[in-house]
Amino acid sequence: MIWISHRGESKDAPENTVPAFQLSLDRKTDGMECDIHLTRDGKLVTCHDSDTIRTCGKSLVIEETNYDELLKLDASNGKPEYCDTRIPLFSETLKCLGNRLYYVEIKVNDPAVIEAMISELDKAGIPAEQVVMISFCEDIVRIFKERYPERKALWLTGFKVSADGTWMYSADKLIEKLRELKADGVDIHGNLVFINEEYVKKVKDAGFDFAVWTIDDEKAAQRFVDFKVDAITSNRAAYLRGVIGK
C-alpha cells in the first residue's frame, strides 16, 4: 500500500507548486501527484485547473496563455507564507521526485500533452516504472496505452447514477471498462457508500490496480487500508501514513 501526496503535500503548501512537491520529498511519502497542461507556447506546466483564477486570483486560461505571462502570477493560493510562489514547469517538479512514484494527471483531451509529458520524462531520465499516467479522459488513456504499452496508465473515475437509477460503476462494469481502455487499473473516488472489500477484491482479482482519491480522513483511510487498495492519494499523505502505518 502506497501513500501519494495529492498535488504535493497540498494541505500545508500551495497545490501543484515546487514547495508542495519538495515537502512531499522531504517527508518521504511514497510518491506525489500532479496535474499538467500545455501553454499556448508549448510549455508543460503543473496546475489543476485550466483557468488560474482559483489558485492565482487572476483568470488566465493556460492553454491560451504563454508561459511568460503565467510566471507573473502568484500561485500561493491563500497561503501567505508562500507569497510569490509560481506555477512551475513540469520539468521543475521532476527535481522533487527522487526515486519515488509520480502520478501525473492529464487534464484535457489533447494527445499532444502525452507527447510533451514523455519528452520531459525522457530528458530527465526518469524510468518508466516511476510514472503512472492518470486521466478522466477515456481517449487519453486509450491513446496512451496504444503508444506506450510498457508504461502504466490508470483511468480516473467516480460514481454516478445511470439512466436506470442504478449506480455506476459496478465492479463488473468497471472491469469491462478497464479492459476496453487497456488500462492498468483504476484511480477512483474514495466513496465508502459504494466501495467495500468485496468490490476492491473483485477488481484486483481481475488483474487491475486499485487506487483511491482523495482521502484526508483517518477513519476513511484506515478502511481503505483494510480493503487492501494499492494506493491512497491524500492532501496530507505523510500525516496519514504516520498515523496508520505503512
Side-chain angles (χ1 to χ4, degrees), residues 118-221:
I118 297 298
S119 175
E120 294 296 345
L121 293 172
D122 287 346
K123 283 181 197 175
I126 306 296
E129 60 269 20
Q130 271 190 257
V131 179
V132 179
M133 194 286 293
I134 59 177
S135 186
F136 284 98
C137 304
E138 295 181 22
D139 288 344
I140 290 295
V141 176
R142 189 180 292 107
I143 292 168
F144 186 91
K145 289 303 295 184
E146 287 173 356
R147 294 181 182 177
Y148 302 100
E150 75 283 2
R151 291 180 176 269
K152 186 169 283 191
L154 304 183
W155 181 47
L156 277 167
T157 191
F159 291 91
K160 58 186 178 181
V161 180
S162 60
D164 63 3
T166 60
W167 280 87
M168 297 171 60
Y169 284 87
S170 68
D172 288 333
K173 288 292 185 182
L174 178 58
I175 290 166
E176 181 182 327
K177 174 62 72 173
L178 296 175
R179 285 174 178 159
E180 174 195 328
L181 298 177
K182 295 183 169 57
D184 297 285
V186 68
D187 193 352
I188 196 166
H189 177 233
N191 189 329
L192 283 166
V193 175
F194 304 102
I195 299 176
N196 54 31
E197 187 171 5
E198 181 183 3
Y199 189 103
V200 175
K201 185 177 187 303
K202 193 165 194 175
V203 175
K204 290 183 64 171
D205 284 351
F208 296 106
D209 290 356
F210 200 110
V212 292
W213 57 269
T214 302
I215 310 301
D216 289 342
D217 177 75
E218 294 173 29
K219 291 182 179 179

Side-chain angles (χ1 to χ4, degrees), residues 38-61:
L38 268 178
T39 65
R40 181 169 61 186
D41 53 345
K43 304 294 186 183
L44 197 62
V45 299
T46 63
C47 187
H48 183 270
D49 308 341
S50 282
D51 193 308
T52 60
I53 184 66
R54 180 179 63 84
T55 55
C56 302
K58 181 179 178 180
S59 180
L60 292 175
V61 177

Side-chain angles (χ1 to χ4, degrees), residues 7-156:
R7 309 176 198 172
E9 284 286 279
S10 56
K11 184 178 187 300
D12 297 320
E15 64 176 66
N16 271 311
T17 65
V18 168
F21 297 128
Q22 184 61 46
L23 197 56
S24 76
L25 178 61
D26 294 343
R27 292 175 175 177
K28 300 179 181 178
T29 61
D30 301 309
M32 60 191 198
E33 183 264 0
C34 77
D35 311 275
I36 55 175
H37 299 264
L38 268 178
T39 65
R40 181 169 61 186
D41 53 345
K43 304 294 186 183
L44 197 62
V45 299
T46 63
C47 187
H48 183 270
D49 308 341
S50 282
D51 193 308
T52 60
I53 184 66
R54 180 179 63 84
T55 55
C56 302
K58 181 179 178 180
S59 180
L60 292 175
V61 177
I62 292 174
E63 286 78 9
E64 299 172 0
T65 307
N66 289 338
Y67 181 60
D68 286 348
E69 288 299 307
L70 293 175
L71 270 181
K72 298 175 184 177
L73 301 177
D74 182 343
S76 55
N77 195 15
K79 292 181 167 63
E81 65 272 33
Y82 290 97
C83 183
D84 294 329
T85 297
R86 304 301 172 192
I87 294 174
L89 293 167
F90 177 63
S91 59
E92 293 177 279
T93 75
L94 297 175
K95 298 172 185 176
C96 305
L97 183 58
N99 61 0
R100 302 175 304 141
L101 200 61
Y102 205 175
Y103 275 36
V104 181
E105 181 179 349
I106 295 180
K107 300 297 293 185
V108 296
N109 197 7
D110 180 3
V113 182
I114 296 174
E115 300 311 321
M117 168 189 164
I118 297 298
S119 175
E120 294 296 345
L121 293 172
D122 287 346
K123 283 181 197 175
I126 306 296
E129 60 269 20
Q130 271 190 257
V131 179
V132 179
M133 194 286 293
I134 59 177
S135 186
F136 284 98
C137 304
E138 295 181 22
D139 288 344
I140 290 295
V141 176
R142 189 180 292 107
I143 292 168
F144 186 91
K145 289 303 295 184
E146 287 173 356
R147 294 181 182 177
Y148 302 100
E150 75 283 2
R151 291 180 176 269
K152 186 169 283 191
L154 304 183
W155 181 47
L156 277 167

